């Protein structure tokens, strides 16, 4: 049974595409046949982070408009045999996506035997974002520990509860998971960021993981590599934990507590 997962947020720049890349790669690493779709028509960043931008010939809009088949547009990941990327168009208008067109692509992917379809949503509540969320079974709501990001995430939760296909059809609601990115325990302690408890109290959905603030994310993006592939890094371990929790394993949260440096490190200038 195919599961459709939307990675979404109200605010831009919170790490949705980074998360979509690592989440889909993580599922594929666990042996699941996974497709990840870029819904951000006009911008298109997923293929850059996945390291396949030079192999884009046809895109999501070409498939919807009948200019190419799904097989022609899907790009097989270089790292993982069972991961495929469907890139967005850089040259079309956001209104090029249609509900019927998106539904056909999703149904065709189901027929092709995909276990998971990950939808990388643009920020906000425009057409691409609404369509990415519409068919979702599960939603990963990505937020940063700042007031505007958390408030906008609350708006997205309202849309998932009222405008998804599950809501329209009166089915079980979309399963919602909170993913907190760019979390810095030191800045939380200094009062510069919202705490984990603050955010959970506001949004009141299940926390699936905390991704620490790290230069490794930028390093991975520049290499065209999902961050989950950076073995031994805190970010890769955090995303791996997210996959395990999503698949039903119990895992303690990591990277959430500030550890004060010892005297020796402070003498050497450590923070």
């Amino acid at each position: 049974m195919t599961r459709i997962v939307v990675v979404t947020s109200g605010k831009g720049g919170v790490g949705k595409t980074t998360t979509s890349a690592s989440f889909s790669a993580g599922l594929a690493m666990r042996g699941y046949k996974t497709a990840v779709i870029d819904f951000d028509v006009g911008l298109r960043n997923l293929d850059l982070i996945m390291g396949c931008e030079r192999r884009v010939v046809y895109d999501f809009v070409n498939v919807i408009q009948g200019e190419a088949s799904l097989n022609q547009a899907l790009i097989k990941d270089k790292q993982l045999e069972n991961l495929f990327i469907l890139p967005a168009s850089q040259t079309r208008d956001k209104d090029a996506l249609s509900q019927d067109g998106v539904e056909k692509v999703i149904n065709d992917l189901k027929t092709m035997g995909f276990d998971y379809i990950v939808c990388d949503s643009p920020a906000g509540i425009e057409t691409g974002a609404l369509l990415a969320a519409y068919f979702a079974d599960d939603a990963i709501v990505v937020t940063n520990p700042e007031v505007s990001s958390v408030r906008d995430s609350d708006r997205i939760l309202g849309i998932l509860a009222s405008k998804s296909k599950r809501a329209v059809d009166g089915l079980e609601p979309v399963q919602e998971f909170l993913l907190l990115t760019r979390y810095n325990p030191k800045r939380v302690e200094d009062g510069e960021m919202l705490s984990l408890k603050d955010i959970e109290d506001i949004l009141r959905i299940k926390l699936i993981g905390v991704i620490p603030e790290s230069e490794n994310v930028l390093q991975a993006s520049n290499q065209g590599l999902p961050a989950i592939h950076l073995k031994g890094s805190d970010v890769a371990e955090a995303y791996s934990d997210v996959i395990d929790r999503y698949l039903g394993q119990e895992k303690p949260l990591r990277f959430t507590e500030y550890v004060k440096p010892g005297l020796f490190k402070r003498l050497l200038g450590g923070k």
Side-chain angles (χ1 to χ4, degrees):
M1 188 74 171
T2 308
R3 199 98 188 143
I4 301 163
V5 186
V6 64
V7 179
T8 183
S9 76
K11 191 173 184 291
V14 298
K16 277 187 311 300
T17 300
T18 296
T19 295
S20 295
S22 283
F23 188 76
S24 56
L27 289 170
M29 288 161 86
R30 301 296 193 279
Y32 295 101
K33 188 177 181 183
T34 306
V36 56
I37 306 174
D38 189 347
F39 275 78
D40 205 351
V41 174
L43 291 177
R44 201 179 91 189
N45 287 314
L46 181 67
D47 54 305
L48 285 170
I49 290 178
M50 303 292 286
C52 64
E53 71 278 5
R54 291 180 184 173
R55 292 190 286 148
V56 176
V57 178
Y58 296 109
D59 56 51
F60 192 14
V61 173
N62 290 141
V63 177
I64 283 176
Q65 298 191 343
E67 297 158 355
S69 70
L70 189 51
N71 274 321
Q72 286 177 293
L74 281 172
I75 299 170
K76 193 173 189 176
D77 184 68
K78 293 176 188 174
Q79 312 282 333
L80 298 160
E81 283 284 309
N82 51 349
L83 178 59
F84 295 81
I85 301 102
L86 183 56
S89 170
Q90 267 186 316
T91 57
R92 304 296 181 97
D93 188 81
K94 294 183 187 297
D95 293 329
L97 296 180
S98 66
Q99 188 169 302
D100 288 346
V102 171
E103 185 169 27
K104 184 178 187 310
V105 169
I106 286 173
N107 286 339
D108 287 349
L109 288 168
K110 287 179 178 179
T111 303
M112 291 165 73
F114 281 91
D115 298 302
Y116 289 99
I117 301 167
V118 178
C119 302
D120 180 27
S121 171
I125 53 172
E126 39 101 328
T127 306
L130 293 174
L131 285 172
Y134 184 75
F135 295 99
D137 298 309
D138 303 321
I140 296 175
V141 180
V142 183
T143 188
N144 292 158
E146 55 181 63
V147 172
S148 61
S149 180
V150 174
R151 181 196 62 198
D152 289 348
S153 294
D154 215 14
R155 179 84 188 275
I156 293 299
L157 291 172
I159 286 168
L160 289 166
S162 59
K163 292 192 172 184
S164 65
K165 189 173 191 301
R166 284 177 167 270
V168 171
D169 293 348
L171 302 173
E172 284 286 314
V174 175
Q175 278 199 81
E176 299 160 342
F177 302 96
L178 173 63
L179 181 68
L180 190 55
T181 55
R182 295 182 187 156
Y183 194 75
N184 185 324
K186 170 72 166 66
R187 293 180 66 190
V188 171
E189 183 141 311
D190 292 344
E192 297 173 12
M193 282 183 170
L194 293 175
S195 72
L196 202 52
K197 185 175 185 310
D198 291 336
I199 295 162
E200 287 186 288
D201 283 349
I202 294 166
L203 296 179
R204 297 190 176 277
I205 61 172
K206 183 177 180 180
L207 181 68
I208 198 172
V210 176
I211 310 299
E213 191 171 49
S214 173
E215 291 177 4
N216 288 324
V217 173
L218 181 61
Q219 178 193 337
S221 295
N222 289 338
Q223 290 178 17
L225 195 68
I228 199 168
H229 285 301
L230 292 179
K231 288 183 180 175
S233 71
D234 51 1
V235 171
E237 289 181 19
Y239 273 120
S240 184
D241 285 354
V242 168
I243 299 297
D244 288 339
R245 290 190 199 101
Y246 176 73
L247 295 173
Q249 291 184 42
E250 293 290 330
K251 285 252 173 166
L253 281 174
R254 296 193 278 171
F255 316 112
T256 60
E257 300 295 327
Y258 174 55
V259 180
K260 290 183 179 179
L263 176 62
F264 185 67
K265 188 172 181 183
R266 290 203 302 274
L267 289 171
L268 292 174
K271 294 182 179 179

